[in-house]
Amino acid sequence: DTGVSQDPRHKITKRGQNVTFRCDPISEHNRLYWYRQTLGQGPEFLTYFQNEAQLEKSRLLSDRFSAERPKGSFSTLEIQRTEQGDSAMYLCASSLARSGGVNEQFFGPGTRLTVL
Amino acid sequence: GIQVEQSPPDLILQEGANSTLRCNFSDSVNNLQWFHQNPWGQLINLFYIPSGTKQNGRLSATTVATERYSLLYISSSQTTDSGVYFCAARSGTYKYIFGTGTRLKVLA
């Protein structure tokens, strides 16, 4: 069990550019979540996948944001036409749905995005 | 949707002191977790505790689901306990809602 990994760890981009982040969940985990965290705040939910199906999206996820999880393994989060307000830490988490409703999330180290 | 509030927002302790962090939630929950966020931003799992009491070394947690709160106890605090503590709750839907955190600083 190598834990959740995210790539890149840091990304600096200019306003208007597109960026893509990758998340590799714990191998047997069927659930995957993306969150965004700004300075001084708790993580905010963006979207959720169960296997390859995207089952829930936050209203925070504007049309410029898209997420995929092909084949139910790794996931990508793309931000098009980045804005300075997109600067944040993007966190990925995964979990394995267990009997009795147990659903403990494990987080990756995050990707810190800075939009200049 | 569910609202999660944490208190106190900031806490400064002398090494060796004990503390209690509180998490209130506005609706019944089916999942609740406590995390410690280290200075590099990594969220470290402390407890998965939708109800009942758990202990892990110097840390313990209690969730009273019927009264909609959870408590995290830190005993004999150490400087390495410094950081931000978050609770996150899930109610009905798939998403977890995080509180705004308690920022803990332990002084040597």
Side-chain angles (χ1 to χ4, degrees), chain B residues 2 34 38 57-58 63 67 78 80 82 99 102:
Chain B
I2 189 172
W34 282 96
N38 66 21
R58 296 181 297 102
T63 297
E67 297 187 21
Q78 301 175 356
T80 52
S82 297
T102 292

Side-chain angles (χ1 to χ4, degrees), chain B:
Chain B
I2 189 172
Q3 314 233 348
V4 179
E5 294 181 351
Q6 292 186 243
S7 60
D10 297 281
L11 189 57
I12 300 175
L13 298 174
Q14 206 63 40
E15 199 168 29
N18 302 330
S19 62
T20 301
L21 283 57
R22 187 175 180 103
C23 173
N24 291 334
F25 38 93
S26 61
D27 203 348
S28 58
V29 297
N30 41 28
N31 292 133
L32 188 136
Q33 289 186 249
W34 282 96
F35 297 92
H36 175 212
Q37 190 165 42
N38 66 21
W40 297 273
Q42 174 77 55
L43 283 162
I44 299 163
N45 289 38
L46 297 178
F47 293 102
Y48 175 85
I49 187 164
S51 64
T53 297
K54 291 186 178 180
Q55 180 155 7
N56 184 3
R58 296 181 297 102
L59 302 183
S60 64
T62 295
T63 297
V64 184
T66 53
E67 297 187 21
R68 300 182 183 172
Y69 72 88
S70 183
L71 301 174
L72 177 68
Y73 305 97
I74 304 174
S75 63
S76 304
S77 57
Q78 301 175 356
T79 56
T80 52
D81 295 332
S82 297
V84 186
Y85 289 80
F86 288 105
C87 70
R90 185 168 78 95
S91 174
T93 66
Y94 299 109
K95 65 182 180 182
Y96 275 83
I97 302 299
F98 279 74
T100 51
T102 292
R103 285 147 191 81
L104 174 65
K105 185 165 188 177
V106 181
L107 304 176

Side-chain angles (χ1 to χ4, degrees), chain A residues 97-114:
Chain A
R98 298 181 188 275
S99 61
V102 177
N103 185 49
E104 183 176 4
Q105 294 181 102
F106 295 85
F107 279 81
T111 295
R112 187 171 296 281
L113 172 66
T114 301

Side-chain angles (χ1 to χ4, degrees), chain A residues 60-115:
Chain A
L60 293 174
L61 214 66
S62 75
D63 291 345
R64 296 185 297 106
F65 288 70
S66 62
E68 294 183 340
R69 192 183 182 197
K71 302 179 184 177
S73 56
F74 70 93
S75 176
T76 58
L77 177 68
E78 181 183 16
I79 309 174
Q80 296 183 328
R81 305 181 302 281
T82 52
E83 302 172 356
Q84 289 183 323
D86 297 330
S87 295
M89 175 79 91
Y90 290 84
L91 294 162
C92 175
S94 70
S95 68
L96 175 65
R98 298 181 188 275
S99 61
V102 177
N103 185 49
E104 183 176 4
Q105 294 181 102
F106 295 85
F107 279 81
T111 295
R112 187 171 296 281
L113 172 66
T114 301
V115 182

